[in-house]
Amino acid sequence: MKLKKAMIFVAVSSAMGLSANVMAAEIRDNSGAAVASTPVSATFRGASALTQYGIPVNCTLELDGSVDYYPAGTYPNHTGAIIKVTGGNVSGGGYCSAVVLGFSTPWTAIADNSDAPTDSPNFVDPVSLQFNNVDVTGPLGPCGGSTTPVPATFRNGAASYLDESEFTFNATVGNCTVNGTLQNVSHPGDDINVW
């Protein structure tokens, strides 16, 4: 099934006439139909700067991964969504070729159902995430700190959910810092949104 626009969609519904609202993260296609067959793959790319011991390296960072319900396979009884980064690369001149990303254990972040943006009609409120298992080696050796969660921010787009979704990193990974914004490039014309 080809997804036209995959959305992690927080649906608000009333249960059997009760006034209390129940929230559940859902991945949806362009027609608004819930997608139960997951994970949905994605690639994000953008300019980033890795600084190690005060030496900056400006490169292009690309990360590949997937979005699934959390816990996996629990649709429609899930508590959120899980993002797994399972591959990627660093490109550019200078010391970019010396930057190595490790994915022996996927980088993972979980967004709870309550984390989704609610700023209708644009839905671009930032979603704060904590990636675990981040493994980076800089030009001066391993950055270290892979056991410390790395913060990132996810947004459905710069001004509207119709823009490409993006991740922004402004974080410390051991003895390195990483800054940059990566936009969805995996499905031209498609996107993955948290709603």
Side-chain angles (χ1 to χ4, degrees):
M1 172 171 148
K2 180 163 177 3
L3 295 179
K4 279 303 194 183
K5 184 166 186 87
M7 292 184 253
I8 305 169
F9 185 86
V10 175
V12 178
S13 62
S14 293
M16 304 296 280
L18 297 176
S19 62
N21 289 335
V22 178
M23 301 185 88
E26 292 184 352
I27 298 172
R28 295 187 172 252
D29 65 20
N30 243 12
S31 71
V35 177
S37 178
T38 54
V40 177
S41 64
T43 299
F44 287 78
R45 181 185 311 130
S48 65
L50 176 80
T51 302
Q52 188 173 32
Y53 299 116
I55 300 171
V57 181
N58 297 308
C59 308
T60 298
L61 174 61
E62 181 172 294
L63 298 176
D64 304 312
S66 63
V67 178
D68 201 346
Y69 292 111
Y70 182 80
T74 59
Y75 176 82
N77 300 316
H78 49 280
T79 61
I82 184 168
I83 301 162
K84 291 185 180 181
V85 179
T86 55
N89 63 68
V90 178
S91 60
Y95 290 110
C96 292
S97 61
V99 178
V100 178
L101 309 175
F103 301 101
S104 59
T105 302
W107 305 1
T108 59
I110 297 171
D112 188 74
N113 288 347
S114 63
D115 294 334
T118 57
D119 61 323
S120 178
N122 296 321
F123 296 99
V124 292
D125 277 351
V127 176
S128 296
L129 301 170
Q130 295 284 329
F131 277 93
N132 293 297
N133 310 316
V134 176
D135 181 7
V136 179
T137 298
L140 300 175
C143 292
S146 64
T147 59
T148 303
V150 175
T153 302
F154 177 84
R155 292 180 63 182
N156 288 331
S160 166
Y161 69 90
L162 298 172
D163 299 333
E164 294 297 322
S165 297
E166 58 188 31
F167 282 98
T168 300
F169 293 91
N170 184 6
T172 299
V173 181
N175 60 41
C176 299
T177 60
V178 61
N179 296 286
T181 298
L182 286 62
Q183 290 188 319
N184 179 32
V185 297
S186 54
H187 307 286
D190 298 347
D191 203 1
I192 295 176
N193 288 308
V194 177
W195 206 296

